[in-house]
Amino acid sequence: LLMSISNSNFNSSRFILTGFPGLEVHYPWLCIPFFSIYSLVFLGNCMVLHVIWTESNLHQPMFYFLAMLALTDLCMGFSTVPTVLGILLGFIQEISLDSCIAQSYFIHGLSFMESSVLLAMAFDRYIAICNPLRYSSILTNDKIMKIGVAILCRSSLLIPPVIIRLKFLNYCRPHILSHSFCLHQDLIRMACSDIRFNNVYGLALVISNLLLDAVLILISYVMILHTVLAIASWEERLKSLQTCVSHICAVLVFYIPIIGLTMVHRFGKHLPPLVHVLMGNTYILFPPMMNPIIYSIKTQQIRRRVQRLFSLKR
C-alpha cells in the first residue's frame, strides 16, 4: 500500500509522513502519551512564562533568558503538534511541499534559537560567578534586549537561503519522509537536483550555530570551574555551582538528542524505521518537556513561586 501511494505521489508536490511503522493498530492508544507530552510542553512552559511575568522578584537577567527558552520550547511544540497528532488521529497522511518547507524552517530555526539562548544563559552564569560585582552593570535590560534581538536575527535570517532552495529542487525519488514532521536533511535525500549548496551551507550553519555554541558553552564552564575552585570555602564553591545545575541539565537535554539523531541518520541506515521516528520525536519533544520540569525543581525561586501558585488554587 505504501509503495502504491509513493508511486502515485512520485511526481507530485506532496510527501507522505511516516508515523510509527508497525504500530498503526495502536495509534488510538499512542495518542494518549503523545497528547500528555504535548500538554506538559504547553502547560509547563506557559507556567514558567506566567511565573516570570507576574513575579517582580524574577525580573532579572537569568529569568529573562529562561523566559526566552520557555517561549522557544512552546513554539517548537506548536510547530510539530499538527502533523504528529494529526497522523495518530488519522487526520493527516501527507503534507504539501510548501507546508513541509515552512515546518522545516520553524523546526531548524527554533533549534538554532534554543542553542543561542542556552549560550546566552551560559554567558549569564559566567558573569554572575566570575565577575559578580559588575553583573548588574553588564547585563542591563538594554543589553538583554539587544541579545534577544541578536538571537532572533541569527536564528531566522541565516536559514532562508538553504530552506528557500528546497522549493526549486526536483524531487524524483519516492516522497516518503522519515519522520512525523519535515526536516531539511529528509527533503534533500529525495532530491535529484544538485544539492551541493544545501549540503555545504547546511553544514556551515550547523558548525556556526550548534557546534560553535556548544564549544563556547564548554569554554564558559571551564572558566566558571576555574573561578569556583579558587574559592577557599567549600560551602561557597557548592553554592556557586548549584546555580549552574539547571542550565547544565538543559544543555544536556538539548544536545544529547541532537547527537543521537545525527548518529542515527549517519550510521543507522540499517536500523528499523521506527528507531528513526522515535529519535526524531525525542529530539523535538524531550527538551521542551524537560526544561520546565528541570527549572521548576532545581531553581529555588521558580519552585517556590510554583508551589505558591498551586497552594492558592487549592
Side-chain angles (χ1 to χ4, degrees):
L1 178 60
L2 192 61
M3 287 306 298
S4 63
I5 296 173
S6 66
N7 288 334
S8 66
N9 283 339
F10 198 73
N11 292 314
S12 75
S13 60
R14 302 192 69 80
F15 297 84
I16 300 165
L17 293 160
T18 299
F20 298 86
L23 300 176
E24 288 82 1
V25 180
H26 306 290
Y27 277 6
W29 293 106
L30 283 174
C31 281
I32 298 171
F34 272 89
F35 182 79
S36 302
I37 290 169
Y38 275 111
S39 298
L40 276 173
V41 169
F42 297 138
L43 294 175
N45 287 289
C46 283
M47 181 187 67
V48 170
L49 288 169
H50 172 74
V51 167
I52 294 171
W53 179 269
T54 56
E55 188 65 44
S56 58
N57 294 335
L58 300 183
H59 293 175
Q60 303 170 25
M62 173 185 172
F63 297 103
Y64 289 143
F65 290 130
L66 177 56
M68 293 180 198
L69 186 68
L71 189 61
T72 304
D73 287 338
L74 202 58
C75 292
M76 182 65 89
F78 278 121
S79 69
T80 57
V81 67
T83 51
V84 175
L85 288 184
I87 289 170
L88 294 175
L89 292 170
F91 297 147
I92 299 173
Q93 289 184 338
E94 55 185 26
I95 186 171
S96 68
L97 177 61
D98 290 340
S99 299
C100 198
I101 290 171
Q103 189 180 48
S104 66
Y105 171 77
F106 283 110
I107 289 174
H108 293 297
L110 289 166
S111 291
F112 291 159
M113 188 176 291
E114 181 140 355
S115 177
S116 300
V117 172
L118 289 172
L119 176 61
M121 294 172 88
F123 177 68
D124 169 80
R125 290 300 83 209
Y126 166 74
I127 299 296
I129 293 172
C130 300
N131 205 347
L133 297 178
R134 296 187 58 204
Y135 180 76
S136 57
S137 63
I138 293 173
L139 286 175
T140 61
N141 287 343
D142 184 54
K143 291 271 181 64
I144 291 167
M145 191 175 295
K146 287 179 180 177
I147 290 171
V149 171
I151 288 171
L152 185 62
C153 292
R154 183 193 191 206
S155 307
S156 59
L157 300 181
L158 294 177
I159 297 179
V162 74
I163 294 295
I164 291 172
R165 185 163 164 73
L166 293 172
K167 175 72 175 173
F168 304 100
L169 295 178
N170 179 31
Y171 299 98
C172 62
R173 295 189 178 94
H175 292 189
I176 304 172
L177 298 167
S178 303
H179 302 286
S180 313
F181 41 81
C182 295
L183 296 175
H184 170 262
Q185 58 265 36
D186 230 7
L187 282 170
I188 61 171
R189 180 177 55 83
M190 291 176 278
C192 296
S193 310
D194 185 358
I195 57 171
R196 282 177 296 179
F197 174 79
N198 288 68
N199 284 330
V200 173
Y201 192 90
L203 181 62
L205 277 179
V206 170
I207 291 171
S208 62
N209 284 270
L210 300 180
L211 186 58
L212 178 62
D213 290 352
V215 170
L216 292 175
I217 290 170
L218 182 61
I219 291 171
S220 71
Y221 272 104
V222 169
M223 298 172 75
I224 287 171
L225 193 60
H226 181 265
T227 302
V228 169
L229 291 176
I231 300 172
S233 170
W234 174 256
E235 289 78 10
E236 288 298 318
R237 287 183 190 178
L238 197 60
K239 186 178 178 181
S240 297
L241 287 174
Q242 279 178 341
T243 63
C244 302
V245 170
S246 300
H247 180 253
I248 292 170
C249 291
V251 169
L252 292 175
V253 157
F254 176 72
Y255 278 102
I256 289 174
I258 285 181
I259 294 168
L261 183 64
T262 303
M263 291 296 182
V264 166
H265 270 290
R266 182 69 182 85
F267 304 108
K269 292 181 175 62
H270 62 285
L271 294 173
L274 183 60
V275 175
H276 290 258
V277 173
L278 290 175
M279 282 304 303
N281 280 282
T282 302
Y283 155 68
I284 292 293
L285 293 174
F286 192 60
M289 181 182 70
M290 290 304 299
N291 284 335
I293 297 172
I294 290 167
Y295 279 94
S296 297
I297 293 172
K298 292 293 183 182
T299 308
Q300 193 177 38
Q301 298 96 319
I302 295 282
R303 186 174 68 247
R304 285 178 180 173
R305 187 66 181 85
V306 169
Q307 288 171 346
R308 199 188 318 163
L309 192 66
F310 281 104
S311 64
L312 284 173
K313 286 184 177 181
R314 284 200 297 269

